[in-house]
Amino acid sequence: MPHISINGQACTLAEGSSLLQALRDNGCQPPHPCHDDRLKPIGACRLCLVEVEGQARPVPSCATAVTEGMVVHTATARLQSLLHTNLSLLADGYPAKAVHEQAEHPFHQLLVKHEVNAGSNHQSPIFKDDSHPYLGIDMDRCIHCQRCVRICDEVQGQFVWKVWGKGEQTHIAPADGKSLLSSGCVSCGACVDTCPTGAIFDKRSTGPVDQWTKTTCVYCGVGCQMEVGSHDNKVVAIRPTDSPVNHGHLCVKGRYAYDFTHAPDRITHPMLRRGSDWHAVSWEEALSFTASRLQELRNKYEADSLGVLSSARATNEENYLAQKFARVVLGTNNVDCCARVCHQPSAKALKTMLGTGAATNSFSDIEHTSLFMLCGCNPTENHPIVGARIKQAVRAGAGLIVIDPRRTELAACADIHLALRPGTNVLLFNAMAATLLEEGLQDDDYIAMRVDGLAGFSSFITAYAPEQVASQCGVTSGDIRRAARMYALAKPAMCFHGLGMTEHLQGTQGVMSLINLALLTGNLGKRGSGINPLRGQNNVQGSAQMGCEPASLTGAQNLADAKVRASFEQAWGTNLPTSAGLDLPAMLAAASSGKFKAMWVMGYDIAMSMPNASQTLAALAQLELVIVQDLFLNETAKAVGHVFFPAASVFEKDGSFMNADRRVQRVRQVVNSPGEAKPDWQIITELARHMGHEQGFKFDAPQAIWNEIRSVWPAGAGLSYQRLQNESLQWPCPATLDDNHPGTAILHQQGFGAGPKASLACIDYQPTAEVCDDDYPLLLTTGRELYHFNAGTMTYRSPNAVLKPTDTLDISPADARLLGLAQGQSARISSRYGTAVLPVNITDKMQVGQLFCSFHRADLNVNALTSPYCDNLVHAPEYKVTAVKVKGLTAE
Ligand SMILES: Nc1nc2c(c(=O)[nH]1)N[C@H]1C(S)=C(S)[C@@H](COP(=O)(O)OP(=O)(O)OC[C@H]3O[C@@H](n4cnc5c(=O)[nH]c(N)nc54)[C@H](O)[C@@H]3O)O[C@H]1N2
Ligand SMILES: Nc1nc2c(c(=O)[nH]1)N[C@H]1C(S)=C(S)[C@@H](COP(=O)(O)OP(=O)(O)OC[C@H]3O[C@@H](n4cnc5c(=O)[nH]c(N)nc54)[C@H](O)[C@@H]3O)O[C@H]1N2
Ligand code: SF4
Ligand code: SF4
Ligand SMILES: [Mo]
């Protein structure tokens, strides 16, 4: 630990401290407008100068390393005069008006503090751009600190800003010399955030902020931490905070897409439908009506004709209550959530092979791996903070293999991009496993200690040599071998995967075949390794973990296990239902055949997001009671709802979410809910009370619900709200006497669930029946894009709709030529199940013969196209493979 002297005071510093950090830690606050702790220092503004004995000239403290015995002075007359001179130089061309009108910017505060006047030589800026809905540009306030340029390069990795010109002409403008958006800006807001003057600013948050409340992002499973600014009971601004997940960075959805909260069409009263019209009613009427209808239907049919779908958008506490309600109040295990349609195959594969159905490692490992293998995921759009971190790690030297039919942004910078044909993951991973064993690249020591079944697997896998399967996969055998070698030789290597793996007939098996590779190469139980599903919604991990699936209770504990059942029966003071329970696809099938009668659908727009929409709607139309609980009158409510319960949004309630790397993080109320909308947990407890179950549903606040959860879930027992106040903890985190279990960043370090060893799985490839033929010659895969989120209910109610107004049909230039399609032209897509019309987007990211579209705009109804096929083990729909034909439409 270095020892230095600052203004005559001896100081001992932490190893690796910068001089600026040392000064701050010892009570000096040199001004440093060109410095941001997230960026490499450049020492450009020369305002943080200090004198170091032995050096002729003052040095910038931000860019100077500490050396042992350094003697530093910060307050000499020479430094004060230099500070004044340098500040005056910056102030000379600066608009005085801005300093007076916007006191919040650090540079303005500095000028005021040092009594330096701005504006004697103010000139108008060279670059102007008012085209972005969120980012305002006022470059006459640019002080050339280059923080925008550097943060866009070093944190977001977008390289939008550039320093142009020389001398007097030096200015900052987008790299293409035109506009922010045409230069590839992804609207993350990082440059706004770091700008010390307001030269780049948030157009919309100019008003005052009364309070900043720390909470968790409402969108994806990354779980970024943020502060939400409110004024007059309205959300008016969002800014990132530092956390192990997002390191003070956000993406466009988390940062800007909050307008849905105050959208004029938020539903603020409970409603009942009479005939085709909805009528606002009191809570009392809505709850009594619903309770008596549920009781009636249960008496007329049976408890198993009723079911609950819980919301992966709602909190852990709410999801826990939803499944408890199904099991205790309705008396059925018919409960499910959105995990069913996305990563249930991952959970099943991981639990079956390794013992725990969740990501094995942490986002913190991204900076500690030698190689990423990204399989069927598109993190720069769908998990943008993770995407940006991966991009930076690759820039810093990590290897990158991308396995995706499309040339995604990360595929374009990969060492190897395997653009496989959709639906052939099992073949490809088996071929990689065959390569590893044939070429002797497996980790023998690891296998000896931790892996079973090698002999059987070795003989099974020979049938999958790359040369035998490559043409079916649509890639070369040489590339498969190269990828296998690269993955095996990089130590450690880390896999992330997405829905391109799971939303298939062989989704679970695809993930199992990937886990084989990690077992063979010893890439489990170590930092920078593992199998990591990029979970989807803000709380989909939590929703399933809380027990919102038929076969599992809270903590993913097996309902069929007699000991587990007994402990829950004791905790809940009642017998648990004994029948197996239906998952969502099974509920829909049972509805079609008249065996299933009522559904309570919380925060899940199944009519638009489930596949094969016409079949889904026909099934839903059979139901005698559909209760929808949402912020908006969503497609499900419009099509088949009988009762509508208005829910509070995430900004309007307390609780917790669980993110994709097993972190439980607090959600905190920022504003009051509008009208009579209530948090989901309150609605559930009140309906329980109306059905005679006050006991067991009596909670004054989410913390009390969370404490009950901790009492039935041993691996989460150590996660008290008290600890979550300031800590970011990952389960397993059991209770300890001194309440200080550190949580578990990396699973399987010593063993796997049941024992020290895990078994390799022999997975035969089973192709889907959804195949192209002469009538349907093109293969459509569906997924998502940056600016919109799933059902689009939230992002389409924000200016993100300006940034991206529609889903598009992405098609290769060759196919577009063949079909005579022009950019932007409307095209009718037809599958064996339905049709949809989308504007054409011609892009060389697509392979010939393949199409892609997102499904975010309800009126475009992309799910009219998708098929009824689903994962053969856990029923995740096969959203990724649909045979279609396309016809250009002429403008009317
Ligand atoms: N901006 C945005 N972010 C989101 C969401 C959103 O709607 N918008 N939704 C959230 C949710 S719920 C989820 S689950 C996640 C999903 O995040 P991702 O898993 O990244 O989602 P997708 O875009 O559906 O699919 C990922 C990739 O799979 C590829 N793919 C298709 N078929 C195959 C195949 O057979 N093999 C392989 N290897 N790849 C294939 C596609 O080309 C696509 O690039 O995103 C979350 N984040
Ligand atoms: N074609 C195709 N279809 C797909 C997919 C695909 O890749 N291709 N992906 C699938 C996947 S992975 C997923 S996860 C689904 C997602 O589909 P959905 O779950 O239907 O979509 P979301 O937009 O996540 O949110 C559902 C609803 O939650 C509401 N909501 C938000 N916050 C709250 C809250 O706090 N309380 C309540 N009660 N409601 C709230 C929103 O208004 C919205 O109506 O789509 C699936 N559908
Ligand atoms: S908003 Fe983000 S991507 Fe756009 S210019 Fe700023 S830092 Fe770069
Ligand atoms: S990456 Fe996900 S969690 Fe983070 S700000 Fe974006 S949407 Fe929110
Ligand atoms: Mo999802």
Side-chain angles (χ1 to χ4, degrees), residues 499-795:
L499 304 180
M501 291 285 289
T502 58
E503 288 178 342
H504 289 285
L505 186 83
Q506 341 75 357
T508 306
Q509 292 171 317
V511 180
M512 290 173 86
S513 62
L514 180 64
I515 297 171
N516 282 337
L517 296 182
L519 286 171
L520 287 169
T521 54
N523 272 309
L524 283 165
K526 299 170 187 164
R527 188 156 83 158
S529 74
I531 299 292
N532 300 288
L534 286 167
R535 302 300 305 252
Q537 294 136 311
N538 46 350
N539 199 32
V540 65
Q541 178 84 51
S543 189
Q545 194 72 20
M546 290 301 109
C548 293
E549 52 159 330
S552 304
L553 289 160
T554 314
Q557 299 178 78
N558 187 356
L559 180 86
D561 181 320
K563 256 172 68 189
V564 169
R565 282 183 79 88
S567 75
F568 275 84
E569 288 182 343
Q570 198 192 2
W572 291 349
T574 181
N575 289 339
L576 288 176
T578 47
S579 51
L582 304 173
D583 61 25
L584 169 56
M587 287 182 212
L588 292 176
S592 295
S593 60
K595 294 200 194 85
F596 185 74
K597 299 293 180 184
M599 206 182 226
W600 183 2
V601 193
M602 305 177 195
Y604 189 175
D605 197 359
I606 49 176
M608 90 77 85
S609 61
M610 286 300 281
N612 195 0
S614 65
Q615 196 186 51
T616 302
L617 280 173
L620 290 173
Q622 300 290 310
L623 296 175
E624 293 186 27
L625 178 65
V626 178
I627 309 150
V628 173
Q629 181 165 315
D630 206 288
L631 317 182
F632 300 102
L633 197 66
N634 63 18
E635 299 306 302
T636 311
K638 282 187 221 158
V640 293
H642 300 103
V643 177
F644 190 95
F645 291 154
S649 86
V650 171
F651 295 123
E652 298 155 4
K653 60 190 174 189
D654 278 325
S656 64
F657 291 157
M658 191 182 290
N659 82 340
D661 72 353
R662 293 176 278 105
R663 256 170 240 279
V664 177
Q665 308 189 105
R666 281 297 315 278
V667 170
R668 296 181 182 86
Q669 181 172 358
V670 180
V671 290
N672 296 326
S673 44
E676 294 178 28
K678 288 181 196 232
D680 295 276
W681 66 269
Q682 278 182 17
I683 304 174
I684 301 168
T685 56
E686 283 173 26
L687 190 58
R689 184 165 58 84
H690 278 79
M691 294 186 71
H693 281 266
E694 183 157 14
Q695 201 54 35
F697 288 85
K698 220 172 166 178
F699 299 98
D700 59 350
Q703 181 166 10
I705 309 171
W706 184 247
N707 287 339
E708 180 172 314
I709 296 169
R710 291 166 60 217
S711 75
V712 296
W713 177 36
L719 297 163
S720 63
Y721 265 31
Q722 207 172 6
R723 288 196 71 192
L724 296 177
Q725 184 67 16
N726 299 314
E727 287 178 273
S728 176
L729 293 164
Q730 292 159 286
W731 60 264
C733 182
T736 56
L737 280 180
D738 42 9
D739 199 20
N740 67 352
H741 190 285
T744 309
I746 301 170
L747 297 181
H748 316 308
Q749 296 189 60
Q750 312 299 332
F752 298 103
K757 291 188 170 187
S759 293
L760 293 161
C762 298
I763 309 285
D764 258 322
Y765 175 59
Q766 182 194 352
T768 172
E770 177 66 24
V771 288
C772 293
D773 59 17
D774 291 347
D775 292 333
Y776 300 98
L778 297 163
L779 205 160
L780 172 74
T781 185
T782 61
R784 31 201 46 75
E785 52 82 24
L786 175 67
Y787 285 107
H788 291 293
F789 197 82
N790 291 349
T793 45
M794 293 151 85
T795 48

Side-chain angles (χ1 to χ4, degrees), residues 293-299 301-308 325-326 329-335 582 587 595-600 625 691:
R293 279 296 283 147
L294 284 169
Q295 271 150 347
E296 232 169 79
L297 292 168
R298 188 175 50 189
N299 293 341
Y301 304 105
E302 52 171 345
D304 284 339
S305 68
L306 316 173
V308 174
F325 182 96
V329 180
L330 298 181
T332 177
N333 287 311
N334 295 343
V335 57
L582 304 173
M587 287 182 212
K595 294 200 194 85
F596 185 74
K597 299 293 180 184
M599 206 182 226
W600 183 2
L625 178 65
M691 294 186 71

Side-chain angles (χ1 to χ4, degrees), residues 809 821 824-830 836-840 886-889:
L809 179 69
L821 298 173
Q825 179 183 359
S826 288
R828 177 183 295 113
I829 310 146
S830 312
V837 174
L838 295 181
V840 165
V886 174
K887 190 173 180 315
L889 300 178

Side-chain angles (χ1 to χ4, degrees), residues 416-437:
I416 302 176
H417 173 205
L418 293 169
L420 81 177
R421 198 186 326 283
T424 59
N425 294 313
V426 169
L427 277 181
L428 183 91
F429 293 119
N430 278 355
M432 285 177 70
T435 307
L436 291 179
L437 291 172

